[in-house]
Amino acid sequence: MTSARPYEIVVWGATGSVGKLVCEHVAQNYQGRVKWAIAGRNQAKLESVRKHVAELNPACKDLPIILGDAQDQSSLDKLAAQSKVVIATAGPFARYGTPIVDACVRSGADYCDVTGEVIWMRRILDKYHEAAKEKNVRIVHCCGFDSIPSDLGTCLVVDHLNSLGKKAAAVSVLFGKLSGAAGGGTIETILNQVATEPFRDQRAAADPYCLNPPSTRHAGKSGDQLLPRYNKDQGCWTAPFIMSSVNTRIVRRSAALQKSAYGKLRLCQVLLLNALHSRVLPKSMQHAMCHMACLCGVNLRCVTSCLMPLVTRSFLE
């Protein structure tokens, strides 16, 4: 990677809700420490973002702007050639992400994003992994809530036990009370996947090891929890976590790529139902959750139609 590039970081998709949060963080914590720029397809909106971050940190008043449109490959090629790292926040990535990954791989820029689209990630791995490896380019997906806590949390547990001369047999990631709402990009991503992804690809993404290298896929050996289950350690019932179908696949890929460190690791990621401490789960919830679990194994389109009313408001009140 050449050191002559004018920027260390370019935030592509800076005008979106997540992009603005990234820009705010960089402006408040790294301005003056790194050379960075914002990028997107709309000059006026980018200027509005620059004005906003300049209010947070006046040193950002001349923050560089780069135009890069997913429909214009040459503009993305120019963008990637100017930065050491591109942070992509513009989704749905299945619709907009491939051209910027392509530009980064060819130009030698490292790439990271906030996607949670398993089907698209599998395509990117199949198409660009070897080329990125040859050029020493890093492609790092899922750098948001999906899946940083899960991936790094598991890594820290494994590293700690390794330092004690032990191996982790299993890691459970338990989520309690959550807050926050899904953004417009998340909702659009779900709708885009339902509307455009072939059913065979949706079924393939249901494989817990679908992101693993082919030689380390062991479908059926250690899958995801699809039914309600009582957790003795926590003393309450657990349910499948809505994003476990993304997070667990990322962690399993990390484990596969670092097999000597992780060993034969079993992974579980669930949502704690804190109010339900009785060992007997109410019949109505049993039926509802078992029905949802069956849908998860049959048709993602059906599951998404059931979940859509939930993603438009807080995950848990």
Side-chain angles (χ1 to χ4, degrees):
M1 185 181 299
T2 177
S3 60
R5 303 188 183 214
Y7 309 114
E8 294 168 273
I9 297 173
V10 168
V11 181
W12 181 67
T15 61
S17 57
V18 175
K20 289 178 182 177
L21 291 174
V22 173
C23 292
E24 289 174 2
H25 182 75
V26 177
Q28 293 176 308
N29 296 279
Y30 296 98
Q31 177 64 32
R33 296 167 57 188
V34 299
K35 297 179 180 179
W36 68 296
I38 56 176
R41 63 182 179 180
N42 188 301
Q43 178 76 28
K45 290 183 178 180
L46 288 168
E47 290 176 357
S48 177
V49 171
R50 179 168 61 185
K51 180 180 179 181
H52 171 66
V53 296
E55 292 172 352
L56 300 175
N57 185 343
C60 296
K61 64 182 181 67
D62 296 319
L63 182 65
I65 289 175
I66 303 172
L67 292 180
D69 191 331
Q71 305 301 319
D72 181 358
Q73 186 65 56
S74 64
S75 69
L76 297 182
D77 292 345
K78 294 176 182 178
L79 182 159
Q82 296 182 68
S83 184
K84 293 183 178 180
V85 179
V86 173
I87 301 176
T89 64
F93 286 86
R95 183 184 298 168
Y96 303 119
T98 303
I100 188 65
V101 174
D102 183 84
C104 287
V105 171
R106 286 187 289 103
S107 70
D110 290 333
Y111 167 93
C112 63
D113 63 33
V114 291
T115 188
E117 300 161 60
V118 173
I119 298 173
W120 178 73
M121 285 187 279
R122 181 68 263 170
R123 291 186 186 131
I124 293 299
L125 287 169
D126 291 341
K127 187 174 182 179
Y128 293 104
H129 177 76
E130 291 303 323
K133 187 176 179 180
E134 289 178 5
K135 290 198 171 186
N136 198 30
V137 169
R138 300 168 182 85
I139 301 175
V140 186
H141 298 300
C142 294
C143 295
F145 182 64
D146 308 311
S147 303
I148 292 295
S150 304
D151 201 18
L152 287 186
T154 301
C155 180
L156 290 171
V157 169
V158 169
D159 284 351
H160 177 66
L161 289 176
N162 284 344
S163 70
L164 300 177
K166 303 179 182 295
K167 288 289 185 181
V171 174
S172 295
V173 182
L174 309 175
F175 290 90
K177 186 175 181 180
L178 303 175
S179 63
T186 300
I187 296 173
E188 187 179 358
T189 294
I190 295 173
L191 294 175
N192 181 70
Q193 180 164 301
V194 172
T196 64
E197 297 294 359
F199 179 66
R200 66 178 181 277
D201 291 342
Q202 296 185 28
R203 286 299 301 270
D207 177 1
Y209 297 88
C210 64
L211 294 183
N212 281 32
S215 62
T216 62
R217 294 178 194 169
H218 307 290
K221 295 291 182 66
S222 176
D224 301 320
Q225 178 178 324
L226 296 178
L227 296 172
R229 186 179 301 167
Y230 189 79
N231 187 300
K232 294 181 180 179
D233 295 330
Q234 296 297 318
C236 67
W237 283 87
T238 62
F241 181 54
I242 189 171
M243 295 310 297
S244 65
S245 62
V246 178
N247 296 332
T248 57
R249 284 140 182 77
I250 292 295
V251 176
R252 289 188 181 105
R253 178 172 175 81
S254 293
L257 295 175
Q258 303 178 72
K259 190 174 182 180
S260 61
Y262 281 70
K264 295 181 179 180
L265 181 71
R266 297 194 309 277
L267 181 68
C268 177
Q269 185 170 99
V270 294
L271 180 68
L272 295 176
L273 302 177
N274 294 316
L276 299 176
H277 293 281
S278 169
R279 286 179 176 268
V280 180
L281 192 64
K283 285 291 184 183
S284 59
M285 185 167 288
Q286 286 187 49
H287 293 159
M289 294 179 70
C290 287
H291 180 60
M292 182 62 73
C294 290
L295 287 174
C296 286
V298 176
N299 194 333
L300 180 60
R301 298 173 191 267
C302 296
V303 176
T304 305
S305 67
C306 293
L307 295 179
M308 277 307 297
L310 300 179
V311 299
T312 56
R313 56 182 187 270
S314 298
F315 292 119
L316 287 178
E317 298 296 332

